[in-house]
């Protein structure tokens, strides 16, 4: 049975959940509390960012179980076992908004709000790496405790720094859980244990980009006309990569999305012919760093749930560059290497 995608649109991005072969019931859809972090130009594995440890081999996970090529196929909802959640309270339905994140908006044993979100391949900041002084399931761990929430991370790779992260949020006032970090540790320990075993995996449909490493899908010859000979690369999570140089940036991301009936992912979207019967949806966004984005639909089901590849080329306002022409060349160079439907 192939992956089925279901959606609920949010104000920021259309979210999707993949139902798994072998699951009696699949996750629904909901917006998580985790904000999307912006990829910053100029950072890469050779930078002086303290989140990068020169002594660690680039791209080498702490354990083979945490290798990126393995994690891309792991179904995150399966990492929060119902039996484990039942020890914390009353689980609700699983909800997912992208390939690597899953939530359960449940109640604890006292009937208080206990929202749990697990994310794999989470890109750690230098501060989070510096604060990884605890231990969870044999891995370095960091905790960030706020009034009614807690973020608990276990480091799975040091260069670039990645982790399995659990976010816990509770009610406020007399509805707050006394220590939101405690359930986070338990869920994180269970998730790491599952990852080291045989976690449930996606059964992607033909044409799905879920297994593709966006950083290796693009070669320097494709980047050079816009960014120069030595662009700096930054991976974000497991499905997004950006390159910067010469006052410009190029980015590729694979993600789930609700596919609009008219193809207008953005109000400014226009359909463009990319050759070979392939069409994309292009939008030029103005501002201090004008950017042209082109979206390609890679899979779509009867309910318009799908997976997309999003290409973007941006540059500072004073840089002479036809951003959309460059974005189209970007797509055409990468497209032959992507899985075909």
């Amino acid at each position: 049975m192939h992956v089925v995608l279901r959606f609920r649109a949010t104000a920021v991005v259309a979210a999707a959940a993949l139902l798994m072969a072998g699951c009696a019931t699949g996750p629904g859809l909901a917006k998580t509390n985790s904000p999307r972090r912006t990829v910053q130009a100029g950072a890469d594995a050779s930078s002086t960012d303290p989140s990068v440890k020169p002594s660690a081999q680039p791209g080498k996970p702490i354990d083979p179980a945490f290798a990126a090529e393995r994690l891309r196929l792991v179904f995150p909802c399966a990492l929060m076992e119902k039996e484990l959640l039942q020890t914390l309270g009353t689980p609700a339905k699983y909800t997912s908004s992208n390939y690597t994140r899953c939530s359960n908006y449940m109640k604890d044993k006292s009937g208080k709000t206990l929202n749990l979100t697990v994310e794999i391949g989470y890109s750690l900041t230098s501060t989070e790496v510096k604060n990884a002084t605890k231990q969870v399931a044999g891995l370095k761990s960091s905790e960030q405790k706020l009034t009614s929430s807690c973020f608990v991370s276990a480091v799975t790779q040091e260069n670039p720094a990645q982790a399995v992260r659990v976010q816990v949020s509770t009610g406020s006032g007399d509805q707050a859980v006394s220590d939101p970090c405690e359930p986070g540790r338990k869920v994180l320990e269970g998730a790491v244990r599952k990852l080291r075993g045989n976690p449930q995996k996606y059964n992607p449909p033909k044409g799905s980009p879920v297994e593709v490493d966006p950083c290796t899908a693009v070669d320097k010859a494709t980047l050079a006309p816009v960014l120069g000979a030595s662009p700096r690369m930054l991976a974000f999570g497991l499905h997004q990569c950006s390159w910067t140089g010469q006052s410009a940036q190029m980015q590729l991301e694979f993600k789930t999305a609700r596919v609009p009936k008219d193809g207008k992912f953005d109000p400014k979207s226009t359909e463009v012919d990319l050759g070979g019967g392939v069409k994309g949806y292009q939008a030029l966004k103005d501002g201090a760093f004008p950017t042209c984005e082109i979206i390609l639909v890679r899979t779509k089901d009867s309910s318009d749930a799908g997976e997309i590849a999003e290409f973007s080329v941006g540059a500072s306002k004073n840089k002479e560059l036809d951003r959309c022409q460059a974005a189209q060349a970007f797509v055409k160079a990468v497209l032959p290497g992507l899985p075909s439907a």
Side-chain angles (χ1 to χ4, degrees):
M1 179 172 117
H2 284 307
V3 174
V4 178
L5 299 155
R6 298 187 187 277
F7 298 84
R8 178 181 300 164
T10 71
V12 180
V13 66
L18 289 88
L19 303 185
M20 305 307 301
C23 286
T25 57
L29 244 283
K31 182 179 178 181
T32 69
N33 295 324
S34 300
R36 176 180 174 181
R37 292 187 294 175
T38 302
V39 173
Q40 296 181 358
D44 71 321
S46 62
S47 73
T48 56
D49 190 313
S51 68
V52 175
K53 297 192 174 184
S55 60
Q57 183 178 338
K60 185 176 177 61
I62 290 172
D63 185 300
F66 308 130
E69 60 269 21
R70 188 171 187 265
L71 294 184
R72 285 191 188 96
L73 271 178
V74 172
F75 182 46
C77 292
L79 301 180
M80 292 194 291
E81 292 181 305
K82 185 178 180 180
E83 291 76 14
L84 173 60
L85 298 185
Q86 286 175 333
T87 67
L88 302 173
T90 305
K93 290 182 179 180
Y94 291 96
T95 65
S96 179
S97 60
N98 66 27
Y99 288 130
T100 58
R101 190 164 60 233
C102 183
S103 302
N104 197 294
Y105 300 103
M106 56 181 283
K107 300 291 184 182
D108 73 358
K109 291 182 178 179
S110 301
K112 297 178 180 179
T113 297
L114 182 62
N115 298 332
L116 300 163
T117 298
V118 64
E119 182 171 358
I120 54 179
Y122 177 81
S123 293
L124 291 166
T125 65
S126 57
T127 300
E128 288 168 323
V129 173
K130 183 179 179 180
N131 292 337
T133 57
K134 300 179 182 292
Q135 289 272 326
V136 168
L139 298 176
K140 293 179 182 178
S141 174
S142 67
E143 293 182 8
Q144 181 185 6
K145 185 177 180 181
L146 305 177
T147 304
S148 58
S149 63
C150 183
F151 300 86
V152 189
S153 303
V155 180
T156 55
Q157 181 175 289
E158 294 185 341
N159 184 5
Q162 291 186 343
V164 181
R165 187 180 79 152
V166 173
Q167 174 186 337
V168 183
S169 60
T170 71
S172 57
D174 59 0
Q175 291 299 306
V177 173
S178 58
D179 181 9
C181 293
E182 183 178 359
R185 293 183 208 108
K186 290 182 178 179
V187 173
L188 181 57
E189 186 172 2
V192 171
R193 184 181 66 250
K194 291 288 288 185
L195 285 172
R196 282 181 166 143
N198 185 28
Q200 189 174 6
K201 297 180 175 64
Y202 289 126
N203 180 22
K206 192 175 181 182
S208 171
V210 66
E211 296 183 74
V212 179
D213 179 351
C215 292
T216 60
V218 182
D219 58 36
K220 286 188 175 181
T222 300
L223 304 170
V226 176
L227 306 179
S230 302
R232 296 184 297 273
M233 183 183 79
L234 176 64
F236 180 76
L238 300 173
H239 302 282
Q240 182 179 336
C241 197
S242 69
W243 299 264
T244 61
Q246 297 189 357
S247 305
Q249 182 180 65
M250 298 171 72
Q251 183 169 292
L252 172 59
E253 181 178 8
F254 305 118
K255 57 187 177 182
T256 55
R258 178 184 174 275
V259 180
K261 294 289 186 183
D262 61 2
K264 290 187 176 294
F265 290 88
D266 182 278
K268 297 180 180 179
S269 288
T270 58
E271 187 175 307
V272 291
D273 183 0
L274 297 166
V278 177
K279 62 182 179 181
Y281 299 94
Q282 174 180 291
L284 180 60
K285 300 182 178 180
D286 205 357
F289 201 79
T291 300
C292 186
E293 295 180 349
I294 298 179
I295 293 177
L296 270 64
V297 177
R298 307 309 295 156
T299 70
K300 187 178 75 166
D301 66 11
S302 59
S303 65
D304 295 325
E307 297 168 273
I308 63 173
E310 184 175 285
F311 298 77
S312 68
V313 175
S316 56
K317 212 171 183 66
N318 59 1
K319 185 177 178 68
E320 292 187 11
L321 174 68
D322 187 328
R323 290 154 180 80
C324 286
Q325 184 180 60
Q328 290 181 30
F330 186 16
V331 174
K332 290 175 182 178
V334 174
L335 187 58
L338 298 183
S340 56

